[in-house]
Amino acid sequence: MITTFVLGIASLVCLGLDHFFRITDHRVLSLVFKGIASVFFVVLAFYSFFKCKDKDDKFKKLSRYVVMALCFSFAADVMLGLNEVEIMGEGAFIVGFLLFVAAHIMYLFAFSAYKKPDRVFYIKAAVLTVILICYAGLTPWFNFNGLFPLICIYSVIVSCVVFRSLDFTERDSLNAKIMAGGMILFVLSDMLLLFWIFPKEGVSKSVSSVIFIISNSCYYIGQLAAAHSISKSYS
């Protein structure tokens, strides 16, 4: 438990430094500390995976996919960071986007280890997908510059993640509930991040910066929660 606490605090301290250097306009230092913060949630995932000794086949499958999801998330953070400092241009953004898609898909594979989706799940996911697409496409805050089809695809995937993760709230395991909470925060961070990546002219830089910090905080707390949740079987 002490190791988990230390890794979690270390990640959040680096996140705080990321925010500090971002506010003071030291972009490179900001991205360095953001990357280190991501390293810590990956390390926590591997630590949790090897710490858990009572894995049954279902939990072993889930844990492996969660570790893979967090590794993809780390890689996505790196690529979006490169895009932000204009090292690789829009190509880095597209790769980062696809890596986050892969991360969400890994989470979906993980959740399928315990329960297969039913008809009600598909209906709920479809309704949430429509809501998210309307939020992105009909509100006056965003300019997607031709990338709106990617946002629609992403909306489908994150809607599935939300309702698959909510299945774990029905289990008695606290760690299963932590996983569900982590996924909700991850998806919430995605929705808020639109203000930073695709702000329409007229949305002030200060507002989008504050929303980015909130989004970033939700993202890291969510990923740390997912990494910690696999330290103990959900059975």
Side-chain angles (χ1 to χ4, degrees):
M1 191 65 182
I2 293 176
T3 302
T4 299
F5 179 78
V6 169
L7 290 171
I9 292 299
S11 181
L12 294 177
V13 167
C14 288
L15 178 63
L17 290 170
D18 163 27
H19 292 164
F20 171 77
F21 287 119
R22 185 175 296 276
I23 291 169
T24 56
D25 203 27
H26 293 82
R27 294 170 63 189
V28 174
L29 283 173
S30 167
L31 294 172
V32 167
F33 280 104
K34 179 175 172 62
I36 296 172
S38 299
V39 168
F40 279 120
F41 68 59
V42 173
V43 172
L44 178 57
F46 279 101
Y47 170 76
S48 298
F49 179 82
F50 289 109
K51 176 186 176 184
C52 182
K53 303 299 183 184
D54 60 340
K55 301 185 189 76
D56 56 21
D57 289 341
K58 288 181 179 180
F59 191 72
K60 189 178 295 184
K61 178 180 178 181
L62 177 143
S63 298
R64 287 172 178 165
Y65 279 123
V66 169
V67 171
M68 291 171 63
L70 290 165
C71 289
F72 278 126
S73 295
F74 165 72
D77 289 336
V78 172
M79 296 309 298
L80 292 181
L82 293 176
N83 174 68
E84 192 169 340
V85 294
E86 300 176 351
I87 290 178
M88 292 178 62
E90 189 174 290
F93 172 80
I94 298 298
V95 173
F97 172 85
L98 293 174
L99 285 166
F100 269 129
V101 169
H104 281 299
I105 290 173
M106 291 302 104
Y107 279 124
L108 288 175
F109 286 161
F111 303 151
S112 295
Y114 276 84
K115 183 181 178 181
K116 302 300 180 185
D118 55 20
R119 184 180 302 175
V120 174
F121 158 77
Y122 288 114
I123 294 172
K124 290 178 179 177
V127 170
L128 182 57
T129 297
V130 171
I131 292 172
L132 293 179
I133 290 174
C134 289
Y135 157 73
L138 300 180
T139 53
W141 306 311
F142 309 119
N143 179 12
F144 295 106
N145 298 313
L147 295 177
F148 186 67
L150 293 181
I151 301 303
C152 294
I153 294 170
Y154 203 70
S155 297
V156 173
I157 295 170
V158 299
S159 296
C160 292
V161 170
V162 166
F163 287 108
R164 295 298 283 136
S165 66
L166 286 176
D167 289 339
F168 287 103
T169 61
E170 301 171 2
R171 304 187 72 86
D172 293 331
S173 167
L174 175 60
N175 280 38
K177 291 178 171 61
I178 289 173
M179 168 60 84
M183 290 301 96
I184 298 302
L185 287 173
F186 188 7
V187 172
L188 176 60
S189 77
D190 286 337
M191 297 302 101
L192 292 174
L193 195 60
L194 296 179
F195 284 94
W196 176 256
I197 299 177
F198 303 110
K200 183 170 280 189
E201 195 172 325
V203 176
S204 72
K205 185 73 172 178
S206 58
V207 169
S208 62
S209 295
V210 169
I211 294 176
F212 174 81
I213 289 173
I214 296 171
S215 168
N216 221 18
S217 300
C218 289
Y219 169 71
Y220 278 92
I221 294 171
Q223 298 289 52
L224 288 167
H228 168 66
S229 75
I230 60 173
S231 62
K232 188 174 181 181
S233 176
Y234 299 168
S235 300

